[in-house]
């Protein structure tokens, strides 16, 4: 092999070592179309992005289901959600730096297999736990069409009945295996995070190394667009599974007395994780058949060994032959100097801070939007997931696709990319302001949100028991909502003062309810109640549609700046630091955004709870009712505040880029020519 084939400016390899011989031209020709093309790698990586975003979005759509199944508060579910980022952090710095020195496609393939194992592990607790038993006082198999309800019994009988129920709960706790099963979900989610850590930094840097500079941004935009098909399918899968009862196939569905809109309903959350785990496993196989390096797109065909040597020389700024793998010790020596170079780059540091703030807002938004829809607008988990999938995700996907086209069409340089990203972020934030006005009032629940007479109350606990149910001996921790004929929701038939129940399961009705009789609706006569909460006010449906429209519009505008924003991390650093910059960025946003955001916001949500569920063995379970006003102000206000602070640091980034450009032009007239070439080829000056 001749010296002329080497990149200009690099010395010859040592004479005592010879490069591997060229492969047979006929064999190379047959392999080129399927293994030595950056577009084939792009196809394989796109399917991997699809599988990983499918798993991640399904996890987000199942948050409320897992919370209710394991009877845990939002702060704990935040820890489970953040465990994915914890898994990322365990390996991300090492993979980002060391992985780029070895066989990147094979590392990505192994990571996909690990991601599959973690996803399947998440579903395991379902098969180890018993059947789901929600808190209820309704008999599922009543033979008699008319039975007396506890409120009609005398105090002595009530005391004896409550003692029997308490004894039954204590006996069941001795054999309860589900109290800590959520830890297995946490570990599975963490393992999925470990597997996913290497996909983005190694995959993106691989494309950027072997694609034309002007095509790199377009390929990344296409990659992210295809990846967003994953959340579309993830939320649709979440909607489908949420419609199925958690123990479907194992229990008689006719005996289930709750509907999908009931806060105690739990769907088949485990089923989607099995589907997502299988998809991740399939995505792993193509990478084991791809070579370590590829010829530069648009350049002459070269032997893969030469390309590998060139990349090794670029990474280490030294000569070495490619017939040996780089030693880990030698690679490690350059890690701290490389990290120092990265963290002394002012543009990159400000870029890190703004991404941390924006990622906090994004995690809060994507994690708790389904819960917000359920509580604010009274929608079922299934409908909330379905509408997120068919409205927000396509808008987000289209925005990312057009963001790649913008980069390719206008050949934006570093400063141009930053301006576009800031402009779209600001405009998208303005589109979220109307969301503060799109709200529904709290559901009218006697003793919780309103008094039994329908007026406001100040002391929630003291107003649950009133004269009409004072002789019923109702347990205060009970949650079996019924809708009275007067349009009021009561915590349970007992608190409604009902004396008679008829039917069984979902068809149970309650009659002779003293509290409904005490505060009747004009025209009512039989003072009856039905299982479940009363429907929300009519305007809630309209508000929900408007909310989805404004949210989809804001998602589209925000995502228009996604590729320019991402390209900054590649263009504001030296070429040999690209993989490390992407890895440090991913590590920082996970450590300071992905992990704490769902935890601290989950704790804030818990502070707005006004009615907790009760575990079988005692103690707080999942929240049943939230204060809508407090929830809305916390949810939307926190997201807006984080974004506004992030925009301040975005301004610092633009100022530093302008200063860098001005200094370069003053330093050398030749830089002016180079900057023009940068605008043409989208290469960092």
């Amino acid at each position: 092999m001749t010296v002329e084939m080497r990149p200009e400016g690099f010395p010859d390899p040592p004479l005592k070592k010879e490069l591997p011989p060229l492969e047979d031209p006929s064999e190379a020709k047959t392999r080129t179309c399927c293994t030595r093309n950056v577009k084939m790698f792009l196809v394989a990586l796109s399917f991997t992005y699809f599988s990983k975003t499918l798993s991640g979005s399904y996890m987000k759509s199942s948050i409320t289901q897992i919370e209710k199944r394991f009877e845990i508060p939002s702060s704990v579910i935040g820890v489970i959600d953040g465990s994915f980022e914890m898994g990322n952090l365990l390996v991300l710095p090492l993979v980002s730096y060391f992985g780029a020195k070895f066989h990147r496609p094979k590392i990505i393939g192994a990571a996909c297999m690990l991601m599959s194992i973690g996803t399947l592990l998440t579903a395991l607790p379902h098969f180890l736990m018993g059947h789901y038993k929600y808190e209820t006082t309704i008999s599922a198999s009543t033979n008699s069409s008319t039975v007396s309800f506890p409120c009609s019994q005398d105090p002595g009988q009530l005391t004896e009945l409550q003692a029997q129920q308490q004894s039954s709960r204590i006996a069941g706790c001795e054999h309860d295996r589900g109290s800590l099963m959520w830890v297995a979900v946490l570990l599975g989610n963490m393992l999925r995070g470990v597997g996913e850590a290497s996909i983005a930094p190694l995959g993106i840097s691989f494309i950027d190394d072997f694609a034309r500079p002007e095509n790199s941004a377009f390929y990344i935009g296409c990659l992210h667009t295809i990846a967003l098909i994953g959340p579309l399918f993830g939320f649709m899968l979440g909607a489908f599974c949420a419609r199925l009862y958690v123990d479907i196939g194992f229990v008689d569905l006719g005996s289930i007395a709750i509907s999908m809109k009931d806060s105690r309903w739990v769907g088949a959350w485990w089923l989607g994780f099995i589907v997502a785990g299988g998809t991740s496993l399939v995505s792993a196989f193509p990478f084991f058949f791809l070579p370590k390096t590829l010829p530069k797109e648009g350049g002459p065909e070269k032997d893969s060994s030469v390309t590998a040597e060139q990349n090794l020389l670029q990474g280490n700024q030294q000569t070495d032959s490619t017939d040996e793998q780089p030693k880990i010790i030698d690679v490690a020596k350059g890690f701290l100097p490389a990290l120092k170079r990265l963290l002394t780059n002012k543009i990159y540091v400000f870029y890190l801070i703004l991404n941390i703030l924006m990622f906090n807002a994004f995690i809060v938004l994507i994690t708790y939007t389904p819960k917000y829809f359920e509580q604010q607008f009274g929608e079922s988990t299934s409908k909330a997931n379905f509408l997120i999938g068919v409205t927000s995700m396509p808008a987000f996907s289209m925005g990312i696709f057009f963001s790649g086209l913008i980069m390719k069409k206008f050949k934006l340089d570093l400063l141009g990319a930053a301006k576009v990203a800031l402009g779209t972020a600001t405009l998208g934030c303005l589109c979220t302001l109307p969301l503060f006005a799109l709200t529904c009032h709290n559901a009218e629940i006697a003793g919780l949100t309103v008094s039994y007479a329908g007026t406001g109350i100040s002391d929630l606990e003291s107003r649950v028991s009133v004269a009409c149910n004072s002789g019923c001996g109702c347990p205060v921790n009970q949650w079996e909502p019924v809708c009275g004929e007067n349009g009021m929701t009561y915590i349970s038939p007992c608190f409604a003062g009902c004396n008679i129940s008829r039917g069984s399961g979902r068809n149970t009705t309650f009659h002779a309810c003293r509290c409904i009789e005490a505060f009747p609706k004009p025209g009512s006569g039989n003072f009856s109640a039905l299982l479940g909460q009363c429907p929300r006010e009519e305007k809630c449906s309209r508000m929900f549609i408007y909310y989805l429209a404004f949210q989809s519009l804001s998602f589209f505008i925000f995502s228009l700046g996604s590729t320019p924003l991402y390209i900054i991390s590649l263009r504001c650093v030296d070429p040999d630091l690209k993989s490390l910059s992407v890895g440090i960025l991913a590590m920082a946003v996970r450590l300071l955004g992905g992990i704490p955001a769902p935890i601290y916001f989950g704790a804030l949500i818990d502070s707005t709870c006004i009615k907790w569920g009760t575990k079988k063995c005692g103690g707080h379970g999942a929240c049943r009712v939230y204060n809508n006003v407090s929830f809305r102000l916390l949810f939307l206000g926190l997201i807006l505040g984080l974004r506004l602070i992030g925009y301040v640091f975005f301004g610092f980034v633009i100022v530093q880029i302008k200063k860098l450009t001005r200094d370069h032009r003053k330093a050398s007239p030749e830089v002016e020519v180079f900057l023009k070439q940068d605008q043409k080829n989208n290469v960092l000056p």
Side-chain angles (χ1 to χ4, degrees), residues 175 225 295 427 471:
H175 305 285
T225 301
L427 185 59

Side-chain angles (χ1 to χ4, degrees), residues 446-564:
L448 287 183
T449 60
V450 294
S451 69
Y452 275 73
T455 59
I457 55 176
S458 57
D459 186 352
L460 302 180
E461 295 295 334
S462 63
R463 298 304 300 270
V464 174
S465 298
V466 291
C468 60
N469 59 28
S470 59
C472 297
C474 306
V476 293
N477 58 358
Q478 194 176 68
W479 178 252
E480 185 85 50
V482 294
C483 179
E485 189 185 38
N486 57 358
M488 182 78 69
T489 298
Y490 296 88
I491 294 177
S492 70
C494 184
F495 279 109
C498 300
N499 294 304
I500 299 174
S501 68
R502 293 174 181 166
S504 61
R506 296 184 187 179
N507 299 319
T508 305
T509 59
F510 307 93
H511 302 272
C513 303
R514 296 201 296 265
C515 291
I516 300 177
E517 182 179 3
F519 306 101
K521 181 180 180 180
S524 59
N526 57 4
F527 313 120
S528 61
L530 301 175
L531 272 179
Q533 293 183 233
C534 294
R536 303 294 289 272
E537 53 188 333
E538 290 185 6
K539 77 168 188 176
C540 273
S541 298
R542 296 195 305 271
M543 292 293 183
F544 186 45
I545 294 174
Y546 297 151
Y547 189 100
L548 287 173
F550 278 106
Q551 179 175 267
S552 299
L553 178 62
S554 66
F555 274 16
F556 174 75
I557 297 175
F558 270 119
S559 58
L560 282 176
S562 58
T563 301

Side-chain angles (χ1 to χ4, degrees), residues 583-596:
I584 294 298
L585 171 64
M587 182 187 69
V589 297
R590 280 161 170 76
L591 178 63
L592 301 176
I595 294 176

Side-chain angles (χ1 to χ4, degrees), residues 60 81 85 358-368 593-594 597-598:
K60 298 294 184 184
D81 187 66
E85 316 296 351
M358 300 291 281
F359 196 68
N360 269 267
F362 176 76
I363 288 295
V364 170
L365 176 66
I366 201 66
T367 302
Y368 292 105

